[in-house]
Amino acid sequence: MGKEILVLVAKELKSEWRLKYALNGIILYVVSAVFVTYLSVGAQQGNLNPPTWNALYWVIMLFSALSAVAKSFMGEPKGLHYYYYMTVAPGALILAKMAYNALLTVLLALLGYTVFGLILGNPVQDQGLFLLNLFLGASGLAFALTMVSAIAAKAGSNATLMAILSFPVVLPILLMCIRVSKHAVDGLDFSVSVDKLLTLMALNAIVAATAYILFPYLWRS
Amino acid sequence: MRNSWWKILAVGLLLYTIVAGMLMDAPRLPILNETIRALHFHVTMWFGMILLLVVAVVNSVRYLRTQHLAYDDAASEYTNAALLFGVLGIATGMLWAKFTWGDYWSGDPKQNASAIGILMYFAYMVLRNALPDLQQRARIGAIYNIFAFAAFIPLIFVLPRLTDSLHPGNGGNPGFNAYDLDSNLRVVFYPAIIGWTLLGAWMASVRIRMRRVERAVEEKLINQIS
């Protein structure tokens, strides 16, 4: 099981590296989204108020994660799915996909944070908490979106379906990390955010566990 | 007659809810005044919705285990009934909020969470309609239903308790039992929950039977042609 997951993650990384256009495309997506936001709010460095900064950042992350993860099942050819079906356990496949997508989303979130901070100013006072929350939030988004992408792929790879199925499901995670990230921006004491971070972790665990249990049923069809 | 006792019970309980809920003594409280009677028509909607959703999820799990379409019918129709209760719950809640909190929508965490929850189940309906094949619709629908339920429960029960809310029992507000010192409301409230839930189950069971009939008729037609 562990070995299967490692092989699958390595395969995802390799194929992503070979098909650089997908990776570059999503990086460009993040950067342009940040830039569009910057131009449309008409803000100068640092005069966007922190709550708005925080909300805009997470909305952009949601959409970037959505388009990055959507292709994890939907973009793959049907033949590859048959090959997976014959060769690997469904549990290993979904865990590998979730791990890979979490890695990708965390990297995108870090990139988004850097660009956001450069262009719109960086009001975050507690960097450690912000990054920890970013890691948890981005991986949570990735877990939920991976499963939804698998469902949408079975329903004819419909992009609208992907969006409407995923938004309500990721909202609890998103709301939680917007709240914690607001604390990090305001520089509140770590003890204020502990229970929220724990809730966020619990949410991630619930989503990942449900996906792991349900995926074999989905894969069978 | 033996099988319809619960329907008679539902009608009886709801008649009792409407008459007693409107006419019996209610606690006199500032701000709430007589609107406290909405308790029997608003809060009960949520109880009914959650009970019906639990039934729907159980049926989804049973579908995944057995692949009988009957369980899928039950899951989707119980969800339909629950959605009706959810929409009514939001509508009654908005009316109540207008007269006690001052606005139809005041961005209360519970209001937002229930709106998101309803979006989730509307998405479930859209997903089902996007799949033409019966077995596939049933399987993927069941999977999304369970997945959505796993996200819905923390959304409704955990997240609102972590922030300030205008609802009783959240964010340091006293729970509702603080308003109901002489238990006058309880006498109507608990029967009302049972009554509304039974009504929901009744609606769902009628629609499940209709589906079964439709499918049987369809199969008959197909067999005639071939």
Side-chain angles (χ1 to χ4, degrees):
Chain A
M1 186 80 167
K3 209 174 156 196
E4 259 180 339
I5 294 173
L6 282 180
V7 170
L8 282 167
V9 172
K11 175 253 151 200
E12 291 284 336
L13 283 172
K14 258 186 235 161
S15 71
E16 193 75 71
W17 190 247
R18 282 183 195 155
L19 283 175
K20 282 198 196 70
Y21 81 93
L23 190 62
N24 292 341
I26 198 69
I27 290 173
L28 195 56
Y29 185 102
V30 175
V31 175
S32 351
V34 173
F35 205 67
V36 167
T37 316
Y38 164 68
L39 291 177
S40 27
V41 296
Q44 296 300 311
Q45 277 265 351
N47 77 10
L48 197 65
N49 68 339
T52 320
W53 184 95
N54 188 28
L56 281 176
Y57 172 74
W58 280 104
V59 170
I60 291 176
M61 274 311 106
L62 172 65
F63 279 93
S64 315
L66 184 69
S67 46
V69 177
K71 66 181 170 45
S72 71
F73 280 97
M74 281 163 49
E76 286 179 333
K78 264 255 151 36
L80 186 60
H81 282 175
Y82 291 130
Y83 181 66
Y84 281 148
Y85 186 79
M86 303 297 285
T87 46
V88 290
L93 180 62
I94 186 74
L95 287 180
K97 288 270 190 192
M98 285 199 292
Y100 170 72
N101 283 328
L103 183 70
L104 181 67
T105 315
V106 168
L107 286 177
L108 281 180
L110 285 175
L111 173 78
Y113 180 44
T114 319
V115 182
F116 221 71
L118 275 177
I119 300 181
L120 282 159
N122 188 343
V124 179
Q125 295 185 28
D126 187 343
Q127 296 291 342
L129 179 59
F130 190 90
L131 290 176
L132 175 64
N133 174 57
L134 184 149
F135 174 75
L136 287 175
S139 40
L141 288 182
F143 293 161
L145 289 170
T146 309
M147 183 61 187
V148 174
S149 161
I151 294 177
K154 287 286 173 192
S157 303
N158 186 328
T160 322
L161 208 53
M162 172 81 198
I164 57 167
L165 291 180
S166 56
F167 284 153
V169 175
V170 298
L171 260 167
I173 297 173
L174 191 72
L175 289 178
M176 222 53 230
C177 47
I178 288 180
R179 249 174 245 160
V180 179
S181 138
K182 176 80 178 29
H183 290 174
V185 171
D186 293 341
L188 298 186
D189 193 62
F190 186 73
S191 60
V192 183
S193 327
V194 170
D195 56 340
K196 286 182 182 152
L197 281 172
L198 286 177
T199 315
L200 188 55
M201 268 185 239
L203 283 177
N204 287 359
I206 291 174
V207 168
T210 333
Y212 177 71
I213 294 167
L214 291 175
F215 187 72
Y217 293 100
L218 184 67
W219 203 224
R220 207 188 286 162
S221 55
Chain B
M1 196 62 198
R2 231 182 319 137
N3 291 326
S4 53
W5 61 271
W6 59 278
K7 294 174 187 168
I8 298 166
L9 181 68
V11 173
L13 285 175
L14 289 179
L15 276 176
Y16 168 70
T17 305
I18 292 167
V19 175
M22 294 293 182
L23 296 180
M24 260 176 54
D25 257 356
R28 309 253 181 285
L29 295 163
I31 303 173
L32 280 168
N33 298 323
E34 289 291 319
T35 65
I36 197 153
R37 296 178 193 281
L39 176 74
H40 313 307
F41 306 97
H42 165 65
V43 185
T44 48
M45 288 295 138
W46 298 115
F47 275 84
M49 177 177 105
I50 288 169
L51 290 172
L52 291 171
L53 285 178
V54 170
V55 175
V57 166
V58 169
N59 274 299
S60 282
V61 173
R62 276 153 96 187
Y63 173 78
L64 286 182
R65 298 194 136 186
T66 59
Q67 321 279 323
H68 287 316
L69 278 177
Y71 291 129
D72 177 59
D73 290 344
S76 73
E77 290 307 342
Y78 276 101
T79 311
N80 265 332
L83 257 177
L84 175 69
F85 276 36
V87 171
L88 287 176
I90 285 220
T92 51
M94 278 166 75
L95 276 178
W96 198 1
K98 176 67 183 166
F99 293 102
T100 49
W101 302 338
D103 273 315
Y104 287 115
W105 201 270
S106 23
D108 182 74
K110 274 206 170 171
Q111 279 184 327
N112 292 341
S114 47
I116 298 166
I118 290 194
L119 282 185
M120 223 177 252
Y121 284 98
F122 275 127
Y124 168 67
M125 290 299 155
V126 173
L127 172 68
R128 290 183 61 89
N129 290 330
L131 295 160
D133 180 66
L134 271 183
Q135 287 289 346
Q136 204 191 16
R137 171 195 293 176
R139 175 161 46 240
I140 294 173
I143 289 164
Y144 186 73
N145 192 18
I146 300 170
F147 194 59
F149 190 75
F152 176 74
I153 288 302
L155 182 73
I156 290 287
F157 289 108
V158 182
L159 299 195
R161 283 178 173 66
L162 292 174
T163 41
D164 296 327
S165 170
L166 296 161
H167 275 88
N170 299 123
N173 286 348
F176 215 95
N177 36 11
Y179 300 136
D180 187 25
L181 294 174
D182 48 3
S183 290
N184 254 346
L185 291 170
R186 262 170 246 223
V187 182
V188 185
F189 181 60
Y190 294 132
I193 295 175
I194 303 173
W196 289 119
T197 313
L198 286 179
L199 182 70
W202 187 357
M203 286 190 291
S205 69
V206 169
R207 294 199 34 133
I208 293 167
R209 286 216 297 274
M210 264 172 61
R211 282 223 184 172
R212 226 173 276 167
V213 171
E214 269 168 23
R215 200 179 303 132
V217 170
E218 227 168 70
E219 264 166 32
K220 211 173 164 190
L221 281 175
I222 293 169
N223 288 340
Q224 270 176 354
I225 295 164
S226 56

